[in-house]
Amino acid sequence: MLNKLAASELVLNEDGSVYHLNLLPEDLAEKIILVGDPDRVPKVSKYFDKIEIKKNKREFYTHTGTLRGERITVMSTGIGTENIDIVMNELDALMNIDLQKKEFKTNHQSLQLFRLGTCGSVNPDVEVDNMLVTQNVVGLDGLLHFYQDYQFKNEFSRNFMEKFPYERIKPMLYFSDWAEDISDYYKDAKYHGNTATFPGFYAPQGRQLRLKALDDQFLETLNDLGVTNFEMETSAIYGLSKLLGHKALTVNCVIANRRRGEFSADHHASEKNMIEWVLERIIK
Ligand code: R1P
Ligand code: URA
């Protein structure tokens, strides 16, 4: 068979589950909440009517159940776009590859992915403890350079690419067209913005402990180019969703305002507020 995948390409565990996520196709709902922190998984699933499945391996914890009668999954991704590479490819394999035959299915099934994360702001006016929905995302991490070339071009991306001054860093820009389709649900979010995804927490986010960052003015420069906030996953979620034919939306709560040097006084309360706000909208 032409499209049969070798054992080394689609790696499975002894029970037939996908290698890292440790899941079988029936463990997954089509609506999936992705969170970075494994501890956030039970903070989401406690609102489910019931939890049917709890599985984990490494940093990937999954709970699947129902919410107001509809099936839903919440999964932790850990930190970073390299983890998202694993999560997106294995989620897609669960839906669109026959794992036993190791063949592509002919009917494409699309997932709805919602990232509920935390972020920092580079715009001094974007205040901590509020939610920000990502419209455009600037990937400064490099993951998508390894896939077939796809870049979304709009006014924001053209302006950003034209003015981005750091030659060593090659940005990739994406856009959630789904965010536009479902903007009615999310229009009452305090902020809609342009998120930068970074490949680290310290110098890539302009933090300098004992090591100097590339440029003291990095965050100011990004703010001048229209970036509102930053975190470490959304470029890979939006980029790979686009390539794989899934729908994705990121809602982050702002826990650090870097331009004012402020950190949330109670980020657990902000996260709880975000979880409740999103769950109300995901399933009516
Ligand atoms: C860094 O502390 C982590 O927090 C943010 C970043 O994207 C990174 O994963 O998101 P989560 O709170 O979802 O993990
Ligand atoms: N998430 C990040 O990646 N950075 C922050 O400063 C806060 C949340």
Side-chain angles (χ1 to χ4, degrees):
M1 211 15 133
L2 261 180
N3 65 4
K4 200 169 177 80
L5 294 159
S8 58
E9 308 308 295
L10 176 62
V11 184
L12 301 178
N13 300 312
E14 291 76 11
D15 65 354
S17 59
V18 288
Y19 185 51
H20 299 93
L21 300 186
N22 197 30
L23 297 173
L24 295 163
E26 58 267 31
D27 296 334
L28 208 60
E30 282 174 39
K31 262 182 195 166
I32 301 173
I33 295 173
L34 301 174
V35 299
D37 183 357
D39 285 347
R40 206 174 295 144
V41 170
K43 291 182 188 167
V44 173
S45 66
K46 75 173 188 187
Y47 294 98
F48 292 2
D49 316 325
K50 66 171 188 247
I51 302 169
E52 300 154 20
I53 289 144
K54 284 189 182 184
K55 290 193 175 179
N56 67 283
K57 188 170 172 188
R58 296 182 186 241
E59 56 267 65
F60 308 111
Y61 281 73
T62 302
H63 291 180
T64 293
T66 51
L67 176 63
R68 293 183 271 283
E70 198 178 312
R71 205 141 184 272
I72 185 161
T73 293
V74 56
M75 173 185 296
S76 59
T77 65
I79 290 181
T81 53
E82 55 277 60
N83 276 11
I84 298 298
D85 183 54
I86 289 171
V87 168
M88 291 297 302
N89 277 287
E90 294 190 11
L91 284 179
D92 183 71
L94 285 163
M95 283 287 145
N96 292 311
I97 297 177
D98 182 323
L99 299 184
Q100 283 170 357
K101 294 188 186 153
K102 298 208 168 189
E103 287 171 9
F104 302 127
K105 292 183 182 169
T106 45
N107 290 335
H108 179 266
Q109 231 183 318
S110 180
L111 294 166
Q112 296 184 6
L113 304 163
F114 303 86
R115 165 165 154 76
L116 301 197
T118 60
C119 70
S121 69
V122 293
N123 182 326
D125 298 330
V126 171
E127 292 170 358
V128 295
D129 298 323
N130 288 291
M131 281 166 283
L132 191 151
V133 175
T134 300
Q135 200 77 33
N136 298 293
V137 61
V138 179
L140 301 176
D141 52 288
L143 174 71
L144 268 294
H145 292 297
F146 292 86
Y147 287 90
Q148 69 189 65
D149 201 16
Y150 162 77
Q151 293 239 36
F152 185 85
K153 292 195 175 55
N154 63 3
E155 205 181 317
F156 171 78
S157 73
R158 270 189 280 269
N159 179 58
F160 187 93
M161 291 305 259
E162 196 184 303
K163 301 196 176 133
F164 187 69
Y166 306 102
E167 282 185 9
R168 284 157 63 168
I169 306 170
K170 304 282 174 225
M172 297 281 275
L173 281 96
Y174 301 93
F175 168 75
S176 175
D177 34 16
W178 196 43
E180 268 200 344
D181 291 351
I182 57 172
S183 61
D184 262 9
Y185 291 163
Y186 297 95
K187 61 176 181 252
D188 57 332
K190 175 124 183 199
Y191 303 114
H192 291 246
N194 306 316
T195 300
T197 295
F198 291 137
F201 189 80
Y202 289 94
Q205 300 192 6
R207 289 189 173 89
Q208 312 194 65
L209 301 185
R210 291 209 313 120
L211 296 177
K212 284 271 159 234
L214 175 66
D215 178 6
D216 283 346
Q217 299 302 306
F218 188 46
L219 298 186
E220 286 82 345
T221 303
L222 291 182
N223 181 40
D224 292 345
L225 296 179
V227 170
T228 44
N229 68 314
F230 58 86
E231 38 81 285
M232 297 175 64
E233 290 82 17
T234 295
S235 62
I237 294 174
Y238 278 21
L240 291 177
S241 291
K242 191 77 187 176
L243 292 177
L244 290 163
H246 302 299
K247 293 172 170 171
L249 186 82
T250 288
V251 182
N252 280 308
C253 65
V254 182
I255 60 170
N257 183 314
R258 296 290 305 293
R259 302 292 299 289
R260 293 200 210 153
E262 292 168 3
F263 196 82
S264 165
D266 185 355
H267 66 94
H268 298 294
S270 304
E271 283 173 43
K272 182 170 186 282
N273 184 35
M274 170 179 68
I275 290 165
E276 291 177 354
W277 188 87
V278 171
L279 287 180
E280 264 175 37
R281 283 158 180 79
I282 286 180
I283 295 174
K284 296 274 178 197

